[in-house]
Amino acid sequence: MKYKILKKDPMFRNDKDIFQLGKRDGNTKRNFLFLSKWIGKHLECKPSDFTKIVTELSKKINTDSLQNAMCIGFAETATGIGMAIADQLMLPYISTTREIYAEEHITFTEDHSHAKDHFIYDVDKLGEKDCFILIDDEITTGNSLKNMINILNQETLVTDYKVLSILNWMPKEKKDSFIKQMNEMGIQISFYALAEGEILEEDPYIYCNDREDLHVSYPDPCVYYEKEDYHLSPVTGRHYLDDCMDFDHIDMHAFSVACEIDKILEPTMKNILILGHGENIYFPYSVANSLARFRHSKKVTFKTTSRTPIYVDGKVIRSRKRFKDNHNITYHIYNIEEMEKHDVVIFLSEAKNIEEIEVPKLTNNMIHFLLKKKGA
């Protein structure tokens, strides 16, 4: 694929500092994707880098002009930065999700994706707002964005939309046409990005990995974190977060978890990876951020497993393992050899008991940290 970066924020040293180009595995609709070191998804991320990108993105939004606004983050890659931006802007938050619950929801599609359907829950909360801030790591064509706005327009009376992303590839004529279409629907929309570019030529080749075996080696035993008087379920943003109190609660929880992890690790362990699962990005970031301070270490990083199948190109993506989680959904983890170099990999499980652990032992240095109430 050929592309050109038209403008970028001074925080980026060069084009590769914004993203690295990856290839989707077996995707006939879009064979590329943009891999970011800033968001804690497919590539390892330093908590300080995550904080930096969130701070710069948050500066794009003038909160003085906002009234009754809400942030919505796109699954799967932007659930972490979406929640963190909402925290910085002191606004309510919810993310789209691929998870299915027996609850009222609205649905829109991401047509090029491996998992097309997005769900939004707590629909009643959406109707109370006057402005939506839609947050994604990158905007390519705007088609998924349009699908989402069309659904939100059917369910709410919101007419003010702000689109915030690290990177936006929409050319000026397409962006102007998009804005015109929205205006005709009675919607005012603004775009904000830290970098803008243009895709000049797409690669028509369909990349396909050999199908490796599913990884199924589950560990026994797990490490347990036991508290009687503390809410232990990691908050992912799949359900509505109301105000600063909710975010304070999440960060207090993450601090407590980091304290418990610190106790079980050898004092010499500085090179630590915190691993989350799927859409649960913000919580691993917050744990990693606290643990980096405890350990006085710049070598604490975090990332998460992913539903996205990415081609192993030997460059950005050098290896992968795939597995089915406890809901029988196929996930992937990338660059195993990089994970093996850490002193320890801590997987933060959302499971309620040992039988429901989501992720097998993906590396030899992995510890499963099961967040569990005493007596549960």
Side-chain angles (χ1 to χ4, degrees), residues 190-375:
S190 305
F191 290 89
Y192 306 89
L194 293 177
E196 296 182 14
E198 182 180 355
I199 296 174
L200 304 174
E201 183 180 333
E202 293 190 25
D203 176 4
Y205 189 78
I206 305 301
Y207 297 90
C208 290
N209 285 318
D210 293 334
R211 284 292 169 262
E212 68 273 30
D213 292 336
L214 288 170
H215 199 75
V216 293
S217 174
Y218 283 79
D220 186 23
C222 290
V223 176
Y224 290 86
Y225 166 49
E226 299 187 330
K227 291 275 187 177
E228 291 187 14
D229 57 350
Y230 209 82
H231 174 67
L232 294 180
S233 176
V235 182
T236 62
R238 297 177 193 127
H239 288 85
Y240 182 75
L241 297 173
D242 193 13
D243 52 28
C244 296
M245 291 291 289
D246 282 338
F247 290 105
D248 288 347
H249 176 86
I250 296 167
D251 290 329
M252 286 171 56
H253 177 195
F255 179 85
S256 297
V257 170
C259 287
E260 297 299 317
I261 291 172
D262 188 55
K263 291 175 186 176
I264 67 171
L265 298 182
E266 295 293 330
T268 55
M269 289 182 173
K270 302 285 188 181
N271 192 349
I272 302 164
L273 172 64
I274 302 297
L275 181 66
H277 184 47
E279 297 164 357
N280 187 16
I281 302 177
Y282 180 85
F283 189 73
Y285 150 72
S286 192
V287 171
N289 198 35
S290 292
L291 195 60
R293 295 200 300 269
F294 296 160
R295 296 259 150 176
H296 305 289
S297 173
K298 295 181 180 180
K299 294 184 177 180
V300 177
T301 58
F302 72 101
K303 70 174 182 178
T304 70
T305 63
S306 173
R307 292 196 190 195
T308 306
I310 305 175
Y311 180 73
V312 178
D313 61 4
K315 299 174 183 177
V316 185
I317 300 297
R318 294 174 293 281
S319 61
R320 81 171 182 183
K321 287 183 179 180
R322 68 186 184 112
F323 61 92
K324 286 189 181 292
D325 75 350
N326 57 329
H327 298 296
N328 203 36
I329 296 171
T330 300
Y331 279 85
H332 309 80
I333 192 75
Y334 296 100
N335 295 344
I336 308 302
E337 69 291 330
E338 187 177 78
M339 297 171 65
E340 295 275 11
K341 292 177 182 178
H342 291 278
D343 295 328
V344 64
V345 176
I346 303 287
F347 172 65
L348 301 179
S349 176
E350 297 178 56
K352 294 180 180 178
N353 55 61
I354 195 169
E355 290 79 20
E356 295 181 3
I357 290 173
E358 305 96 329
V359 172
K361 189 166 185 177
L362 297 166
T363 62
N364 294 324
N365 56 346
M366 180 181 284
I367 294 176
H368 285 63
F369 200 80
L370 184 66
L371 308 175
K372 183 175 181 290
K373 281 188 178 179
K374 188 173 286 188

